[in-house]
Structures are given as structure tokens and as C-alpha cells.
């Protein structure tokens, strides 16, 4: 991210005007994202990437002339990449190329948001990274994610989260001073959180490791709240806690 704007600089590469327009709309809804350009083919995108610093690229696979996969293979130092496509069968190849996420069209806003949150969890703001690998030490002071609640996007810093509770298709995110309920499955949110900072202890609970005040073989205390350790999570929890 550039020091001038402190925003994540985004590039949309898609030859379908409707699909590109949806991504542009989504990007415009998040204050920390900045749309640098929209390209209709891989060659235009390659040229722009040589001129402009890009942090996050939303890349369609089916492009005229050169596919998105072909573009990705041709770049020696690509930005973080989210692949977009109407075809699920490209998912394995995409992840072999270490893409950040894989979105199937039509892209729901919640999935777009999950991809962006994954970017924020893996990459350290406000310094723009030239490589695709996440920086060492995932417990980042300024890392955050967005949660959609009460018809608005709420920025939540990871360091402020105490624990997360599943409410079936919703999750309750607790910080020291507020509670946020958002439409999202706990497994989806778990995938966006760095494992060095958060620990799944139960099918219904994720805790911030640094907020654990005490624990035993069956429960973990976060402040004054006692949370159960699920039977299927017991071994990995105790191992993570050094037992």
C-alpha cells in the first residue's frame, strides 16, 4: 500500500462488463480499498502492472488471448491475487499458484468480503508488500477485518477480538467494548484469521490466544467468561497451549 493513500490498491481484470462492474461496486463500498484500474484482457493488465503498484488483483480466468492463469504464471512478482470465474474446475490449479482466494461468479458480497478479510489477515498494513508471501509474524498490530452488521461495514482490529461464537448462520464477535453479530459461518471466519493469533476450541467457539486468562482440560477462560473445549478439538487445543 502506498504511503500517500494508505489504501489497498486494487486491479480488476475481467472482460465481462457486468462482472467487472459488480467488483468495482464492491470495492467502492470499503473505505480501505482503492480501485486503480479495470482491464479487459491479460496483456493490458500486464502492462499496467509494470507501471502501477498493485496490492490486490481480482483476476478472471477466462480472458481473450491469454488466460488469467497464463498471466499469473507470466508474472515474476504478482500482487495478491483473487481468481474469479464461472467454472469451479479451475480451483485446484489456482491454489497451486498460491492465490489468495477463488470466487465463483456471480460473486456474492459476503464471499468478496471474506476474500478481502483474508488479504488483511495475511498482509501487513500500511506497508505495501512487493511479494505474495505473508510477512513473518502474523500477530500484526494493525491487522483488521470488516464485518457486515446493522447495514454497514464495521472495521474490527484483530488485536481487539476476545472470542468468536457461532450462532448457526451468524457469528457473535466479542471485543472488550462491543459485540458484533454478522451473517457468516464460523468456519468461513476462521479461515480468515491467522492461526498464530486465534485458536478454534469448539465447533461454536474461537478464542484469541493472547486473551486466554486460564484453562484446564475441559474449558478455557477469557476474562470472566468460561468457554468449553470441544471433544474433537481437545488434543489440538492442549498441544497449542503447550500440554
Amino acid at each position: 500500500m502506498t504511503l500517500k493513500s494508505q489504501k489497498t490498491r486494487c486491479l480488476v481484470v475481467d472482460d465481462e462488463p457486468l462482472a467487472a462492474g459488480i467488483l468495482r461496486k464492491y470495492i467502492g463500498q470499503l473505505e480501505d480499498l482503492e480501485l486503480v484500474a479495470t482491464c479487459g484482457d491479460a496483456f493490458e493488465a500486464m502492462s499496467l502492472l509494470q507501471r502501477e503498484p498493485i496490492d490486490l488483483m481480482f483476476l478472471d480466468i477466462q480472458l481473450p488471448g491469454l488466460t488469467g492463469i497464463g498471466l499469473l504464471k507470466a508474472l515474476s512478482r504478482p500482487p495478491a491475487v483473487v481468481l474469479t470465474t464461472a467454472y469451479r474446475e479451475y480451483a485446484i490449479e489456482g491454489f497451486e499458484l498460491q492465490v489468495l482466494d477463488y470466487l465463483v461468479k456471480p460473486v456474492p458480497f459476503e464471499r468478496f468480503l471474506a476474500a478481502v478479510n483474508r488479504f488483511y489477515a495475511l498482509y501487513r498494513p500500511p506497508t505495501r508488500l512487493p511479494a505474495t508471501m505473508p510477512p513473518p509474524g502474523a500477530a500484526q498490530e494493525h491487522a483488521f477485518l470488516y464485518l457486515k452488521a446493522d447495514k454497514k461495514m464495521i472495521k474490527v482490529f484483530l488485536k481487539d477480538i476476545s472470542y468468536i461464537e457461532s450462532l448457526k448462520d451468524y457469528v457473535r464477535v466479542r471485543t472488550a467494548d462491543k459485540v458484533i453479530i454478522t451473517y457468516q459461518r464460523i468456519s468461513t471466519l476462521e479461515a480468515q484469521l491467522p492461526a498464530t493469533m486465534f485458536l478454534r476450541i469448539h465447533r461454536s467457539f474461537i478464542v484469541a490466544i493472547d486473551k486466554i486468562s486460564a484453562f484446564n482440560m475441559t474449558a478455557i477462560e477469557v476474562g470472566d467468561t468460561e468457554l468449553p473445549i470441544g471433544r474433537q478439538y481437545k488434543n489440538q487445543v492442549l498441544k497449542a497451549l503447550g500440554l
Side-chain angles (χ1 to χ4, degrees):
M1 303 171 199
T2 61
L3 295 177
K4 180 180 179 180
S5 66
Q6 301 292 309
K7 292 188 176 185
T8 299
R9 291 169 59 85
C10 299
L11 171 64
V12 173
V13 186
D14 201 314
D15 64 327
E16 300 176 21
L18 180 60
I22 290 173
L23 289 174
R24 285 198 299 267
K25 177 183 176 182
Y26 289 169
I27 290 170
Q29 290 182 249
L30 300 183
E31 63 178 0
D32 290 277
L33 300 185
E34 175 187 356
L35 179 64
V36 176
T38 301
C39 297
D41 61 62
F43 301 106
E44 182 184 359
M46 188 178 297
S47 176
L48 184 136
L49 287 166
Q50 293 172 351
R51 305 190 313 267
E52 295 282 350
I54 298 296
D55 301 298
L56 179 58
M57 177 167 60
F58 294 90
L59 177 62
D60 186 22
I61 291 179
Q62 294 295 325
L63 294 170
L66 179 67
T67 67
I69 295 292
L71 171 63
L72 192 52
K73 290 180 177 179
L75 297 173
S76 59
R77 296 172 70 88
V81 173
V82 174
L83 290 177
T84 63
T85 182
Y87 305 96
R88 295 180 181 272
E89 59 265 29
Y90 291 101
I92 295 177
E93 185 176 8
F95 282 118
E96 286 177 348
L97 292 169
Q98 297 184 319
V99 300
L100 182 70
D101 208 340
Y102 184 97
L103 304 181
V104 177
K105 300 177 184 178
V107 179
F109 181 71
E110 286 74 16
R111 276 296 289 119
F112 167 84
L113 188 60
V116 172
N117 282 337
R118 185 170 289 117
F119 172 82
Y120 286 135
L122 291 175
Y123 293 80
R124 179 171 48 200
T127 303
R128 180 179 178 273
L129 299 177
T132 58
M133 295 301 292
Q140 302 151 5
E141 179 71 14
H142 301 291
F144 63 90
L145 51 74
Y146 277 107
L147 299 175
K148 186 177 182 180
D150 300 324
K151 298 181 179 180
K152 59 185 177 182
M153 305 310 300
I154 301 174
K155 180 191 279 188
V156 180
F157 287 93
L158 300 189
K159 64 182 178 62
D160 295 335
I161 297 174
S162 297
Y163 68 90
I164 298 163
E165 179 181 2
S166 172
L167 305 172
K168 292 188 177 180
D169 291 334
Y170 291 80
V171 293
R172 179 187 288 125
V173 178
R174 291 186 178 272
T175 71
D177 58 356
K178 60 186 173 184
V179 176
I180 303 165
I181 297 178
T182 182
Y183 181 71
Q184 189 169 177
R185 288 187 176 273
I186 193 170
S187 56
T188 303
L189 187 55
E190 180 185 16
Q192 302 165 32
L193 300 171
T196 52
M197 293 181 68
F198 294 90
L199 180 63
R200 182 80 175 263
I201 65 167
H202 189 278
R203 65 181 182 179
S204 297
F205 295 103
I206 298 171
V207 301
I209 295 173
D210 68 339
K211 302 299 192 302
I212 296 174
S213 53
F215 67 92
N216 56 36
M217 301 295 287
T218 60
I220 281 178
E221 292 181 15
V222 178
D224 296 328
T225 303
E226 183 176 278
L227 304 174
I229 298 175
R231 183 178 301 174
Q232 70 183 89
Y233 296 92
K234 184 176 180 179
N235 289 339
Q236 67 186 52
V237 169
L238 296 179
K239 181 178 179 181
L241 296 177
L243 295 181

